[in-house]
Amino acid sequence: MTGENYSGELEMFRGLVRVLRVAARNEDMPEVQRLLWDHARDEAAAYEAAPDRTAADLERQTALMAGIRREPARRWKSGRAVNLLRRLGYHPISPRTASRDLAALAGAGLLVMHEEKGVRWYEVARRRTHNPASTIREDGRA
């Protein structure tokens, strides 16, 4: 037993702490607030994971989203996702698996899919206009 409420929770939390340290060092409270709202949304999405996703899928997708958050201005296609997942130690990873992971993250509202003729890419979803805390219970679950 890892003590995690969902697979990948510890990695997600560690990623949050890393970026919060930088924002706090720079005394950037709006960035701290944004990071905390993003984390709450990511965690709610992890709890609402589709039942057909395995624990391994959820863990890999959580790690992928944490990596994407470190480079949010980039366009994410399956090849870039494959490279990131391999750097994170996920082997073997195919472009098809990475593509499904990106689509799952978009389905959870964490990424936005863009399409043009012959190309599809994803970007980090911008903060929603409503208060995400209204959909999260006191225990942190959706």
Side-chain angles (χ1 to χ4, degrees):
M1 169 132 185
T2 64
E4 294 184 341
N5 291 314
Y6 54 87
S7 183
E9 180 181 29
L10 183 57
E11 179 59 31
M12 182 186 280
F13 183 70
R14 285 178 175 159
L16 173 65
V17 169
R18 280 192 297 270
V19 294
L20 278 174
R21 282 183 183 145
V22 174
R25 210 175 294 133
N26 294 328
E27 299 181 14
D28 187 351
M29 283 309 294
E31 179 67 2
V32 168
Q33 291 173 328
R34 184 192 67 76
L35 290 165
L36 291 171
W37 282 120
D38 287 347
H39 177 73
R41 186 180 65 218
D42 292 351
E43 205 166 50
Y47 281 115
E48 294 173 358
D52 59 333
R53 285 197 291 179
T54 67
D57 291 339
L58 180 58
E59 178 183 349
R60 188 182 60 250
Q61 290 164 8
T62 301
L64 177 60
M65 190 65 215
I68 288 172
R69 287 221 180 275
R70 287 190 284 274
E71 304 176 47
R74 303 184 84 169
R75 289 183 175 191
W76 286 88
K77 296 193 272 185
S78 60
R80 180 171 281 152
V82 165
N83 291 335
L84 173 61
L85 287 167
R86 287 179 180 165
R87 284 194 316 266
L88 293 173
Y90 292 91
H91 298 281
I93 293 293
S94 70
R96 183 175 179 188
T97 298
S99 182
R100 282 190 306 227
D101 287 349
L102 290 168
L105 293 169
L110 302 173
L111 299 177
V112 175
M113 181 182 74
H114 300 277
E115 271 188 299
E116 291 178 5
K117 188 175 181 177
V119 65
R120 175 182 295 163
W121 75 91
Y122 298 83
E123 293 178 327
V124 174
R126 302 291 177 233
R127 188 186 328 175
R128 296 179 183 139
T129 56
H130 75 283
N131 182 350
S134 65
T135 61
I136 299 173
R137 298 189 323 217
E138 191 172 313
D139 63 358
R141 295 181 184 199

